[in-house]
Amino acid sequence: MIGEPFRPGGVNPALVTPFARDQAVDEEAFRELIRHVIDDVDGLVPCGTTGEFNYLTPEENQRLVQIAAQEAKGKPVIAGTGAPSTKLALELARSAREAGASACLVVCPYFLHPSDKGIYQHYYELAKALPDMPIILYNIPQVVDAYLPRRVVEDLADIPSIVGLKDSSGNLTYTMEILEYAGDRINVLIGHDEVVLNALAGGASGMILASAQVYPEVWRGVLDAVRQGDLESARRLQRQVQKLSRIFCRYGGGVAVKQALKMMGVNAGRPRSPLKSVGGALLHEDRAEIQLELEKLGKIQPRPAEFRIPIEPLDTRFEKIGLTAEMIGAEKMQVGTGSTGKDVESVQIDLLCGAKDGLMGEAWAYQLTYPRHGFEALTTILEPNLAVRPSTLIVPTNELKDLRQANMIYGPVQNAVAKSIVDKLAESVIPQSIVHTHVMLVQATVHPRALDRRVLHHNAYEATCVALDSAFVEV
Amino acid sequence: MFSKKTEWFRGIFPALVTPFTPDDQLDESTYRELIRFVLPHIDGVVPCGTTGEFSSMTLEEKMRTIDICIDQVAGQVPVLAGTGCQSTQETLELTQWAKDAGATGALVVAPYFLKPAYNEVFDHYKQVDKIGLPIVLYNIPQCAGTHFKWWTAEGMGLALDNVIGMKDSSGDMPFFAAALEKLRGTIGLFVGHDEVVGPAMLAGADGAILASANLIPDIWQEIYQAAQRGDAEFVQRRQKEIQILVRLVVRKGGPQAVKEGLRMMGLTSMSNVRLPMIQGGEFEREDYEDLRTQLENLGKIGSQTVHLGDREIEYALPADLPPPLQDLTLCVGEGFAGPPLSEVAHIDLLLGRKDGPVGKAIRRAQGEPRPGHELVIINHHPLTMLVPTVTVRGAKARQLVYEDAANGIKLALEHAIAHDNLPEAIVDDICLIANVFVHPAASIRQRVKINNYKAMRGAIRKALEGRPTIPELVSEKESARHPFRYAP
């Protein structure tokens, strides 16, 4: 090796690979992504796991490395060049070097499960064939289904061109073991977004992360704080991005990162088949959660939300479902209301109970034939297959604009209403004699920007209890 | 050939469930009744096995249970007592006691929770072997967390004088094949995983110890006899007929599944499982509906004459349930069935008289346009309207809702009528609204259909029977786990 060996460290994004609608690599989008991120990072990692490297042809792999080198403003490019076979891994490393890579990131060979000897020989052959190409070992058992064995790493660290190990396992006992046995010779980079602070505090030199193209400045802050011994600040910063990091790590990886970038106005393209943009590994519900977390981080502006708390006389609040004050009065239906909490987690519950064979029964049955978009009525359940009695519909009063808002109503709020009803049934506040003769309807007013599910659950429970107490006080 | 096989260790042995009284004591009379029920069809019994919740019982309770079992069986069939405990010392104590009490043999589970090394497991059995009671090794890695390797089973089978058999509940066919290769003829080899009994017996197993043999000992005996005479075609056909039932039992909380099934079939005093296992837990409520469907299909749940609306009708009523509601104004049933996640089915079902609120709602809805929520009458006998919960977007979603989910619901109606869950006599008096949720990410059409079938079968029964009941709701209100309550 000539000159000072490359020592990997700092903040490095594992770049996504944008694909166009026709599945081709969208080179222009890739350049734009790098321009978006380059000033906040110490190096670039194209063609990693987040970059869907295993769906790329060797030619595409080389081209992406070349673009990264052109756009890197002189910062190091660590090219993903791993492959199931040693022959292909070598070919990729060679072409990455030609394209201007500073180092290569080589994943533990996967699919067939080579023995320790086979794994050692894989890296040894690479190093022997390309002695001037720095190699970073890559442990990611979530996709390889095997750990890079520590004893192999311990020996590989003696090879001069092997300069680092990226550990994406999130298993800190493994990270600590590598630091213990090889940390004197190679740098350890943390590759799991949920434990960055922990790994840095344990001695890791830096990070290669999917989320470092979404919030690199947070990771810069964590790194600086740990280096200065300011653990308090480091913890605060890590905590800020904990949920988003968890979603990126566990619910879709690069696919989730692409959705986040898209929300932030950065065109990161689509994933390559068989991965889906959303609805596969990344659920619609989790995409909605990404949006909320980016709002909290200030990365995107919240959508304007209309929000109205019903304040008109209680017996006139049910006209949307076809029951007027006169009807409610004529059939002596039970009406109650309760509201609890403050700010965006406040909940108001307006509740109506009436006989099945009267106007209430008609309105109730009609609601289930009439799912208005954003106001869908569902029966109230403690959990699936455990619907409460008397049968109760929940209808939101403010239109639900997206799946995240829907989750708040049909998750914590519904569960709280159910629990409250069964508690009041157990206390005989709701007479047990009416469970099969009456039905109930709950109109739930929840702020569209409600954040905290626990608080929401608590408030919805309290509000429903108050509403039930007032509705059944005279029965 | 060197052989330690005994004449008595062959055939069908139910792993008996253990009934408890309301104050959580051993329920002796129900236990005796259970043994009387299975005895005509079986070749031996296993008290205090995994299905018998041995791990939730005290040493004294296990002793008493084994004692009652021996007394009730009265020598008609062998009693293979579950005596395996976590520590060697306790295992020795219980096995010695079982020997003195007159048990025919002992079923000894691999020591569990802490993970002894293979030589430690070997020495554990070696000490138990010295007691002198015939020993059956018991491999159940799903619970014990320890898996025998075939060479440890072989080593113990050959070296320990009183080891006369092995029960393998792993369902791991390569393991069982290796055991047959190494030990067949030397010790008796039993299969303990209900889903692979047919294949194991045709491959040479000597018998089976099964949770589901509490419920269908007669069918298992038929399968065993057929395997003995080499009738592979019969074994395959009969195993297939009970496969859904036994998969529920094996994978969805064995003891509770068996106990619920026995109650449905007539042993109404049978208790639920002991804590921390609970009703509606591992054996989920959707599994309860499935189990009931399977027992109906096998003719194990009879029909009774009940009043429904203003008619007398035949209704397939489990022995432990009160008759259905009489008032058909507006009956509400909710049904949920999965997996997989994207193909889950959720149905809010309304069932009621045509001249009541349900009929009125259908007539009113038919006159109104519903863009994105096209309402379709999918069945005429009884009249059934399908309402999609979420807006239907695109051709794929339309197919999943209006073809696959609709076909599942229609099939459920057809079967419910055929099996007296939806009595023929009332179908022209009533109408139904099925508000159906199909996830926009669903892709497996067959699962959408099957899950909607299951959800609808359950929803119909729950609507007519007024389930869940108040006691069910109250007992589960603290432990219920709502899937959408928590952050990702």
Side-chain angles (χ1 to χ4, degrees), chain A residues 246 356 362 366 368-369 373 379 383 385-387 389 410-411 414-415 423 453, chain B residues 330 332 334 336 348 360 368 370 391 435 462 467 477 481-482 484-485 488:
Chain A
R246 179 163 61 245
K356 285 179 175 179
E362 282 179 23
Y366 180 69
L368 277 181
T369 72
H373 188 66
T379 54
E383 64 178 35
N385 288 313
L386 214 51
R389 306 282 177 186
Y410 302 120
Q414 186 192 65
N415 186 237
D423 278 341
R453 286 178 171 84
Chain B
L330 172 61
V332 185
E334 180 249 359
F336 173 92
D348 278 331
K360 229 174 196 173
E368 297 169 354
R370 300 284 168 77
T391 311
N435 189 297
K462 285 185 270 189
R467 288 187 295 118
K477 72 185 171 72
R481 312 300 299 167
H482 194 293
F484 306 128
R485 176 176 160 188

mmCIF file of all heavy atoms in Angstrom, chain A residues 246 356 362 366 368-369 373 379 383 385-387 389 410-411 414-415 423 453, chain B residues 330 332 334 336 348 360 368 370 391 435 462 467 477 481-482 484-485 488:
data_model
loop_
_atom_site.group_PDB
_atom_site.id
_atom_site.type_symbol
_atom_site.label_atom_id
_atom_site.label_comp_id
_atom_site.label_asym_id
_atom_site.label_seq_id
_atom_site.Cartn_x
_atom_site.Cartn_y
_atom_site.Cartn_z
ATOM 1 N N ARG A 246 -36.116 3.421 13.946
ATOM 2 C CA ARG A 246 -36.675 2.075 14.097
ATOM 3 C C ARG A 246 -37.478 1.687 12.856
ATOM 4 O O ARG A 246 -37.392 0.566 12.366
ATOM 5 C CB ARG A 246 -37.553 1.995 15.347
ATOM 6 C CG ARG A 246 -38.180 0.623 15.549
ATOM 7 C CD ARG A 246 -38.688 0.409 16.957
ATOM 8 N NE ARG A 246 -39.723 1.341 17.334
ATOM 9 C CZ ARG A 246 -39.605 2.254 18.295
ATOM 10 N NH1 ARG A 246 -38.495 2.352 18.984
ATOM 11 N NH2 ARG A 246 -40.599 3.071 18.557
ATOM 12 N N LYS A 356 -83.090 -0.754 19.561
ATOM 13 C CA LYS A 356 -82.897 -1.310 18.219
ATOM 14 C C LYS A 356 -84.156 -1.173 17.376
ATOM 15 O O LYS A 356 -84.079 -0.995 16.163
ATOM 16 C CB LYS A 356 -82.544 -2.799 18.322
ATOM 17 C CG LYS A 356 -81.138 -3.101 18.772
ATOM 18 C CD LYS A 356 -80.946 -4.623 18.842
ATOM 19 C CE LYS A 356 -79.514 -4.989 19.172
ATOM 20 N NZ LYS A 356 -79.344 -6.462 19.261
ATOM 21 N N GLU A 362 -82.644 2.132 13.216
ATOM 22 C CA GLU A 362 -82.633 2.445 11.781
ATOM 23 C C GLU A 362 -81.397 3.245 11.396
ATOM 24 O O GLU A 362 -80.726 2.963 10.406
ATOM 25 C CB GLU A 362 -83.893 3.242 11.406
ATOM 26 C CG GLU A 362 -85.115 2.372 11.281
ATOM 27 C CD GLU A 362 -86.366 3.175 10.944
ATOM 28 O OE1 GLU A 362 -86.228 4.293 10.397
ATOM 29 O OE2 GLU A 362 -87.460 2.679 11.252
ATOM 30 N N TYR A 366 -78.303 1.963 9.041
ATOM 31 C CA TYR A 366 -78.029 2.757 7.839
ATOM 32 C C TYR A 366 -76.560 3.195 7.799
ATOM 33 O O TYR A 366 -75.935 3.200 6.737
ATOM 34 C CB TYR A 366 -78.964 3.966 7.801
ATOM 35 C CG TYR A 366 -78.751 4.828 6.583
ATOM 36 C CD1 TYR A 366 -79.102 4.365 5.316
ATOM 37 C CD2 TYR A 366 -78.186 6.100 6.688
ATOM 38 C CE1 TYR A 366 -78.894 5.138 4.188
ATOM 39 C CE2 TYR A 366 -77.973 6.882 5.562
ATOM 40 C CZ TYR A 366 -78.332 6.399 4.319
ATOM 41 O OH TYR A 366 -78.109 7.162 3.211
ATOM 42 N N LEU A 368 -73.960 1.661 8.637
ATOM 43 C CA LEU A 368 -73.063 0.601 8.145
ATOM 44 C C LEU A 368 -73.208 0.368 6.643
ATOM 45 O O LEU A 368 -72.395 -0.314 6.034
ATOM 46 C CB LEU A 368 -73.275 -0.696 8.915
ATOM 47 C CG LEU A 368 -72.515 -0.764 10.241
ATOM 48 C CD1 LEU A 368 -72.764 -2.086 10.934
ATOM 49 C CD2 LEU A 368 -71.013 -0.567 10.052
ATOM 50 N N THR A 369 -74.246 0.927 6.033
ATOM 51 C CA THR A 369 -74.336 0.850 4.567
ATOM 52 C C THR A 369 -73.739 2.091 3.930
ATOM 53 O O THR A 369 -73.691 2.214 2.728
ATOM 54 C CB THR A 369 -75.792 0.766 4.079
ATOM 55 O OG1 THR A 369 -76.424 2.046 4.268
ATOM 56 C CG2 THR A 369 -76.564 -0.301 4.808
ATOM 57 N N HIS A 373 -66.300 8.613 3.077
ATOM 58 C CA HIS A 373 -64.841 8.660 3.085
ATOM 59 C C HIS A 373 -64.345 9.658 4.138
ATOM 60 O O HIS A 373 -64.736 10.814 4.145
ATOM 61 C CB HIS A 373 -64.320 9.048 1.702
ATOM 62 C CG HIS A 373 -62.823 8.928 1.604
ATOM 63 N ND1 HIS A 373 -62.174 7.719 1.687
ATOM 64 C CD2 HIS A 373 -61.864 9.859 1.465
ATOM 65 C CE1 HIS A 373 -60.881 7.908 1.589
ATOM 66 N NE2 HIS A 373 -60.655 9.208 1.462
ATOM 67 N N THR A 379 -67.602 -0.817 14.258
ATOM 68 C CA THR A 379 -68.054 -1.248 15.577
ATOM 69 C C THR A 379 -66.880 -1.207 16.551
ATOM 70 O O THR A 379 -65.725 -1.337 16.164
ATOM 71 C CB THR A 379 -68.653 -2.668 15.559
ATOM 72 O OG1 THR A 379 -67.717 -3.552 14.987
ATOM 73 C CG2 THR A 379 -69.943 -2.710 14.788
ATOM 74 N N GLU A 383 -60.655 -5.977 21.131
ATOM 75 C CA GLU A 383 -59.655 -6.466 20.191
ATOM 76 C C GLU A 383 -60.456 -7.199 19.125
ATOM 77 O O GLU A 383 -61.655 -7.425 19.301
ATOM 78 C CB GLU A 383 -58.632 -7.381 20.888
ATOM 79 C CG GLU A 383 -59.222 -8.662 21.439
ATOM 80 C CD GLU A 383 -58.189 -9.584 22.082
ATOM 81 O OE1 GLU A 383 -57.234 -9.085 22.698
ATOM 82 O OE2 GLU A 383 -58.348 -10.804 21.966
ATOM 83 N N ASN A 385 -62.540 -9.738 17.158
ATOM 84 C CA ASN A 385 -63.380 -10.828 17.659
ATOM 85 C C ASN A 385 -63.819 -10.632 19.110
ATOM 86 O O ASN A 385 -64.237 -11.584 19.758
ATOM 87 C CB ASN A 385 -62.682 -12.193 17.502
ATOM 88 C CG ASN A 385 -62.629 -12.634 16.049
ATOM 89 O OD1 ASN A 385 -63.634 -12.563 15.346
ATOM 90 N ND2 ASN A 385 -61.473 -13.050 15.597
ATOM 91 N N LEU A 386 -63.716 -9.415 19.600
ATOM 92 C CA LEU A 386 -64.188 -9.122 20.944
ATOM 93 C C LEU A 386 -64.897 -7.763 20.915
ATOM 94 O O LEU A 386 -64.448 -6.780 21.492
ATOM 95 C CB LEU A 386 -63.012 -9.123 21.920
ATOM 96 C CG LEU A 386 -63.256 -9.613 23.346
ATOM 97 C CD1 LEU A 386 -63.944 -10.972 23.370
ATOM 98 C CD2 LEU A 386 -61.970 -9.682 24.125
ATOM 99 N N ALA A 387 -66.033 -7.741 20.187
ATOM 100 C CA ALA A 387 -66.811 -6.514 20.055
ATOM 101 C C ALA A 387 -67.617 -6.283 21.327
ATOM 102 O O ALA A 387 -68.109 -7.221 21.931
ATOM 103 C CB ALA A 387 -67.754 -6.617 18.859
ATOM 104 N N ARG A 389 -70.657 -5.031 23.913
ATOM 105 C CA ARG A 389 -72.119 -4.955 23.999
ATOM 106 C C ARG A 389 -72.446 -3.879 25.002
ATOM 107 O O ARG A 389 -71.767 -3.804 26.023
ATOM 108 C CB ARG A 389 -72.720 -6.291 24.439
ATOM 109 C CG ARG A 389 -72.317 -7.494 23.611
ATOM 110 C CD ARG A 389 -73.072 -7.547 22.323
ATOM 111 N NE ARG A 389 -72.628 -8.688 21.490
ATOM 112 C CZ ARG A 389 -73.061 -8.882 20.251
ATOM 113 N NH1 ARG A 389 -73.894 -8.029 19.690
ATOM 114 N NH2 ARG A 389 -72.645 -9.904 19.551
ATOM 115 N N TYR A 410 -59.137 4.532 15.154
ATOM 116 C CA TYR A 410 -59.468 3.105 15.155
ATOM 117 C C TYR A 410 -58.502 2.289 16.005
ATOM 118 O O TYR A 410 -58.647 1.078 16.115
ATOM 119 C CB TYR A 410 -59.552 2.590 13.715
ATOM 120 C CG TYR A 410 -60.584 3.348 12.912
ATOM 121 C CD1 TYR A 410 -60.237 4.046 11.765
ATOM 122 C CD2 TYR A 410 -61.915 3.407 13.337
ATOM 123 C CE1 TYR A 410 -61.186 4.772 11.048
ATOM 124 C CE2 TYR A 410 -62.865 4.132 12.642
ATOM 125 C CZ TYR A 410 -62.491 4.808 11.489
ATOM 126 O OH TYR A 410 -63.424 5.534 10.795
ATOM 127 N N GLY A 411 -57.496 2.933 16.603
ATOM 128 C CA GLY A 411 -56.584 2.253 17.512
ATOM 129 C C GLY A 411 -56.843 2.677 18.946
ATOM 130 O O GLY A 411 -57.780 2.190 19.589
ATOM 131 N N GLN A 414 -60.550 3.922 19.869
ATOM 132 C CA GLN A 414 -61.534 2.847 19.856
ATOM 133 C C GLN A 414 -61.331 1.914 21.052
ATOM 134 O O GLN A 414 -62.289 1.521 21.713
ATOM 135 C CB GLN A 414 -61.404 2.044 18.561
ATOM 136 C CG GLN A 414 -62.500 1.006 18.438
ATOM 137 C CD GLN A 414 -62.223 0.019 17.332
ATOM 138 O OE1 GLN A 414 -61.269 -0.741 17.397
ATOM 139 N NE2 GLN A 414 -63.049 0.039 16.320
ATOM 140 N N ASN A 415 -60.076 1.572 21.318
ATOM 141 C CA ASN A 415 -59.771 0.674 22.420
ATOM 142 C C ASN A 415 -60.205 1.279 23.757
ATOM 143 O O ASN A 415 -60.748 0.600 24.619
ATOM 144 C CB ASN A 415 -58.274 0.371 22.412
ATOM 145 C CG ASN A 415 -57.898 -0.664 23.449
ATOM 146 O OD1 ASN A 415 -57.073 -0.407 24.298
ATOM 147 N ND2 ASN A 415 -58.503 -1.837 23.387
ATOM 148 N N ASP A 423 -66.159 -1.488 31.286
ATOM 149 C CA ASP A 423 -66.059 -1.134 32.706
ATOM 150 C C ASP A 423 -67.406 -0.647 33.250
ATOM 151 O O ASP A 423 -67.812 -1.019 34.350
ATOM 152 C CB ASP A 423 -64.990 -0.046 32.908
ATOM 153 C CG ASP A 423 -63.578 -0.633 32.967
ATOM 154 O OD1 ASP A 423 -63.450 -1.842 33.215
ATOM 155 O OD2 ASP A 423 -62.611 0.128 32.755
ATOM 156 N N ARG A 453 -50.109 8.420 21.611
ATOM 157 C CA ARG A 453 -51.177 7.433 21.705
ATOM 158 C C ARG A 453 -51.571 7.122 23.153
ATOM 159 O O ARG A 453 -52.735 6.866 23.440
ATOM 160 C CB ARG A 453 -50.758 6.134 21.017
ATOM 161 C CG ARG A 453 -50.773 6.206 19.501
ATOM 162 C CD ARG A 453 -50.284 4.871 18.946
ATOM 163 N NE ARG A 453 -50.454 4.742 17.518
ATOM 164 C CZ ARG A 453 -49.599 5.211 16.620
ATOM 165 N NH1 ARG A 453 -48.547 5.881 16.997
ATOM 166 N NH2 ARG A 453 -49.801 5.016 15.334
ATOM 167 N N LEU B 330 -82.450 -6.713 15.217
ATOM 168 C CA LEU B 330 -81.157 -6.229 14.736
ATOM 169 C C LEU B 330 -80.077 -6.980 15.500
ATOM 170 O O LEU B 330 -79.834 -6.692 16.673
ATOM 171 C CB LEU B 330 -81.047 -4.716 14.986
ATOM 172 C CG LEU B 330 -79.690 -4.051 14.734
ATOM 173 C CD1 LEU B 330 -79.268 -4.187 13.285
ATOM 174 C CD2 LEU B 330 -79.737 -2.572 15.123
ATOM 175 N N VAL B 332 -76.098 -8.089 15.787
ATOM 176 C CA VAL B 332 -74.812 -7.566 15.341
ATOM 177 C C VAL B 332 -73.725 -8.591 15.660
ATOM 178 O O VAL B 332 -73.613 -9.070 16.777
ATOM 179 C CB VAL B 332 -74.480 -6.241 16.052
ATOM 180 C CG1 VAL B 332 -73.199 -5.636 15.481
ATOM 181 C CG2 VAL B 332 -75.640 -5.252 15.919
ATOM 182 N N GLU B 334 -69.436 -9.452 14.879
ATOM 183 C CA GLU B 334 -68.186 -8.968 14.296
ATOM 184 C C GLU B 334 -67.287 -10.168 14.089
ATOM 185 O O GLU B 334 -67.232 -11.066 14.925
ATOM 186 C CB GLU B 334 -67.560 -7.968 15.266
ATOM 187 C CG GLU B 334 -66.262 -7.366 14.811
ATOM 188 C CD GLU B 334 -65.062 -7.821 15.618
ATOM 189 O OE1 GLU B 334 -65.234 -8.613 16.577
ATOM 190 O OE2 GLU B 334 -63.949 -7.415 15.287
ATOM 191 N N PHE B 336 -63.314 -11.424 12.621
ATOM 192 C CA PHE B 336 -61.976 -11.084 12.131
ATOM 193 C C PHE B 336 -61.240 -12.390 11.901
ATOM 194 O O PHE B 336 -61.299 -13.285 12.734
ATOM 195 C CB PHE B 336 -61.243 -10.236 13.171
ATOM 196 C CG PHE B 336 -59.795 -9.962 12.832
ATOM 197 C CD1 PHE B 336 -59.438 -8.822 12.135
ATOM 198 C CD2 PHE B 336 -58.801 -10.859 13.216
ATOM 199 C CE1 PHE B 336 -58.110 -8.574 11.819
ATOM 200 C CE2 PHE B 336 -57.469 -10.607 12.896
ATOM 201 C CZ PHE B 336 -57.124 -9.465 12.199
ATOM 202 N N ASP B 348 -68.138 -6.391 9.833
ATOM 203 C CA ASP B 348 -69.194 -5.974 10.748
ATOM 204 C C ASP B 348 -70.503 -6.427 10.119
ATOM 205 O O ASP B 348 -70.870 -5.956 9.037
ATOM 206 C CB ASP B 348 -69.198 -4.441 10.914
ATOM 207 C CG ASP B 348 -68.159 -3.978 11.933
ATOM 208 O OD1 ASP B 348 -67.855 -4.747 12.856
ATOM 209 O OD2 ASP B 348 -67.662 -2.850 11.794
ATOM 210 N N LYS B 360 -84.857 -2.089 6.157
ATOM 211 C CA LYS B 360 -85.087 -0.682 5.805
ATOM 212 C C LYS B 360 -83.807 -0.048 5.263
ATOM 213 O O LYS B 360 -83.815 0.678 4.265
ATOM 214 C CB LYS B 360 -85.546 0.074 7.047
ATOM 215 C CG LYS B 360 -86.782 0.914 6.817
ATOM 216 C CD LYS B 360 -87.251 1.508 8.142
ATOM 217 C CE LYS B 360 -88.668 2.013 8.003
ATOM 218 N NZ LYS B 360 -89.231 2.454 9.273
ATOM 219 N N GLU B 368 -79.649 4.890 -3.430
ATOM 220 C CA GLU B 368 -78.699 6.006 -3.372
ATOM 221 C C GLU B 368 -77.379 5.629 -4.032
ATOM 222 O O GLU B 368 -76.852 4.549 -3.792
ATOM 223 C CB GLU B 368 -78.424 6.374 -1.905
ATOM 224 C CG GLU B 368 -79.656 6.859 -1.176
ATOM 225 C CD GLU B 368 -79.419 6.952 0.323
ATOM 226 O OE1 GLU B 368 -78.340 6.528 0.796
ATOM 227 O OE2 GLU B 368 -80.318 7.436 1.023
ATOM 228 N N ARG B 370 -73.425 5.479 -4.437
ATOM 229 C CA ARG B 370 -72.309 5.505 -3.472
ATOM 230 C C ARG B 370 -70.993 5.381 -4.225
ATOM 231 O O ARG B 370 -70.445 4.282 -4.302
ATOM 232 C CB ARG B 370 -72.431 4.343 -2.483
ATOM 233 C CG ARG B 370 -73.684 4.330 -1.667
ATOM 234 C CD ARG B 370 -73.626 5.365 -0.559
ATOM 235 N NE ARG B 370 -74.928 5.555 0.060
ATOM 236 C CZ ARG B 370 -75.467 4.721 0.924
ATOM 237 N NH1 ARG B 370 -74.848 3.641 1.283
ATOM 238 N NH2 ARG B 370 -76.644 4.966 1.429
ATOM 239 N N THR B 391 -62.899 2.912 0.663
ATOM 240 C CA THR B 391 -63.144 3.221 -0.735
ATOM 241 C C THR B 391 -62.378 2.249 -1.632
ATOM 242 O O THR B 391 -61.199 2.000 -1.427
ATOM 243 C CB THR B 391 -62.688 4.667 -1.033
ATOM 244 O OG1 THR B 391 -63.238 5.511 -0.023
ATOM 245 C CG2 THR B 391 -63.169 5.122 -2.396
ATOM 246 N N ASN B 435 -70.516 -5.427 6.228
ATOM 247 C CA ASN B 435 -69.586 -4.320 6.003
ATOM 248 C C ASN B 435 -68.190 -4.926 6.062
ATOM 249 O O ASN B 435 -67.747 -5.401 7.097
ATOM 250 C CB ASN B 435 -69.806 -3.266 7.096
ATOM 251 C CG ASN B 435 -69.056 -1.992 6.822
ATOM 252 O OD1 ASN B 435 -67.836 -1.987 6.781
ATOM 253 N ND2 ASN B 435 -69.779 -0.905 6.650
ATOM 254 N N LYS B 462 -72.070 -15.270 15.964
ATOM 255 C CA LYS B 462 -72.006 -14.294 17.056
ATOM 256 C C LYS B 462 -73.218 -13.383 17.034
ATOM 257 O O LYS B 462 -73.721 -12.986 18.090
ATOM 258 C CB LYS B 462 -70.697 -13.505 16.976
ATOM 259 C CG LYS B 462 -69.524 -14.353 17.457
ATOM 260 C CD LYS B 462 -68.237 -13.582 17.522
ATOM 261 C CE LYS B 462 -67.504 -13.672 16.224
ATOM 262 N NZ LYS B 462 -66.150 -13.103 16.298
ATOM 263 N N ARG B 467 -72.928 -13.181 21.097
ATOM 264 C CA ARG B 467 -71.567 -13.236 21.620
ATOM 265 C C ARG B 467 -70.755 -12.087 21.029
ATOM 266 O O ARG B 467 -71.029 -11.653 19.923
ATOM 267 C CB ARG B 467 -70.921 -14.586 21.270
ATOM 268 C CG ARG B 467 -71.500 -15.741 22.061
ATOM 269 C CD ARG B 467 -70.719 -17.024 21.794
ATOM 270 N NE ARG B 467 -70.846 -17.471 20.416
ATOM 271 C CZ ARG B 467 -69.826 -17.571 19.575
ATOM 272 N NH1 ARG B 467 -68.603 -17.257 19.951
ATOM 273 N NH2 ARG B 467 -70.014 -17.983 18.339
ATOM 274 N N LYS B 477 -61.464 -7.718 29.667
ATOM 275 C CA LYS B 477 -61.327 -6.277 29.431
ATOM 276 C C LYS B 477 -59.957 -5.741 29.811
ATOM 277 O O LYS B 477 -59.496 -4.771 29.235
ATOM 278 C CB LYS B 477 -62.440 -5.494 30.142
ATOM 279 C CG LYS B 477 -62.360 -5.404 31.652
ATOM 280 C CD LYS B 477 -63.610 -4.708 32.191
ATOM 281 C CE LYS B 477 -63.710 -4.779 33.698
ATOM 282 N NZ LYS B 477 -62.751 -3.932 34.398
ATOM 283 N N ARG B 481 -55.734 -7.097 23.871
ATOM 284 C CA ARG B 481 -54.634 -6.395 23.213
ATOM 285 C C ARG B 481 -55.135 -5.901 21.855
ATOM 286 O O ARG B 481 -55.261 -6.673 20.921
ATOM 287 C CB ARG B 481 -53.433 -7.316 22.985
ATOM 288 C CG ARG B 481 -52.994 -8.131 24.182
ATOM 289 C CD ARG B 481 -52.594 -7.329 25.375
ATOM 290 N NE ARG B 481 -51.471 -6.456 25.124
ATOM 291 C CZ ARG B 481 -51.101 -5.473 25.947
ATOM 292 N NH1 ARG B 481 -51.774 -5.262 27.060
ATOM 293 N NH2 ARG B 481 -50.076 -4.723 25.660
ATOM 294 N N HIS B 482 -55.414 -4.610 21.777
ATOM 295 C CA HIS B 482 -55.897 -4.042 20.515
ATOM 296 C C HIS B 482 -54.697 -3.817 19.590
ATOM 297 O O HIS B 482 -53.743 -3.156 19.961
ATOM 298 C CB HIS B 482 -56.612 -2.718 20.802
ATOM 299 C CG HIS B 482 -57.412 -2.216 19.653
ATOM 300 N ND1 HIS B 482 -56.830 -1.801 18.481
ATOM 301 C CD2 HIS B 482 -58.743 -2.067 19.475
ATOM 302 C CE1 HIS B 482 -57.779 -1.416 17.644
ATOM 303 N NE2 HIS B 482 -58.949 -1.565 18.230
ATOM 304 N N PHE B 484 -54.059 -1.980 17.034
ATOM 305 C CA PHE B 484 -53.703 -0.658 16.495
ATOM 306 C C PHE B 484 -53.561 0.392 17.593
ATOM 307 O O PHE B 484 -53.540 1.579 17.328
ATOM 308 C CB PHE B 484 -54.745 -0.193 15.470
ATOM 309 C CG PHE B 484 -54.956 -1.194 14.381
ATOM 310 C CD1 PHE B 484 -56.234 -1.644 14.058
ATOM 311 C CD2 PHE B 484 -53.878 -1.715 13.688
ATOM 312 C CE1 PHE B 484 -56.419 -2.582 13.057
ATOM 313 C CE2 PHE B 484 -54.059 -2.652 12.684
ATOM 314 C CZ PHE B 484 -55.338 -3.087 12.373
ATOM 315 N N ARG B 485 -53.516 -0.074 18.823
ATOM 316 C CA ARG B 485 -53.456 0.893 19.918
ATOM 317 C C ARG B 485 -52.063 1.493 20.068
ATOM 318 O O ARG B 485 -51.899 2.591 20.560
ATOM 319 C CB ARG B 485 -53.873 0.199 21.219
ATOM 320 C CG ARG B 485 -53.737 1.107 22.414
ATOM 321 C CD ARG B 485 -54.242 0.479 23.689
ATOM 322 N NE ARG B 485 -53.670 1.179 24.820
ATOM 323 C CZ ARG B 485 -53.795 0.793 26.073
ATOM 324 N NH1 ARG B 485 -54.482 -0.282 26.352
ATOM 325 N NH2 ARG B 485 -53.248 1.481 27.036
ATOM 326 N N PRO B 488 -45.723 2.166 16.193
ATOM 327 C CA PRO B 488 -44.814 1.182 15.606
ATOM 328 C C PRO B 488 -43.444 1.225 16.282
ATOM 329 O O PRO B 488 -43.092 2.227 16.883
ATOM 330 C CB PRO B 488 -44.712 1.596 14.153
ATOM 331 C CG PRO B 488 -45.151 3.004 14.084
ATOM 332 C CD PRO B 488 -46.092 3.218 15.234
#
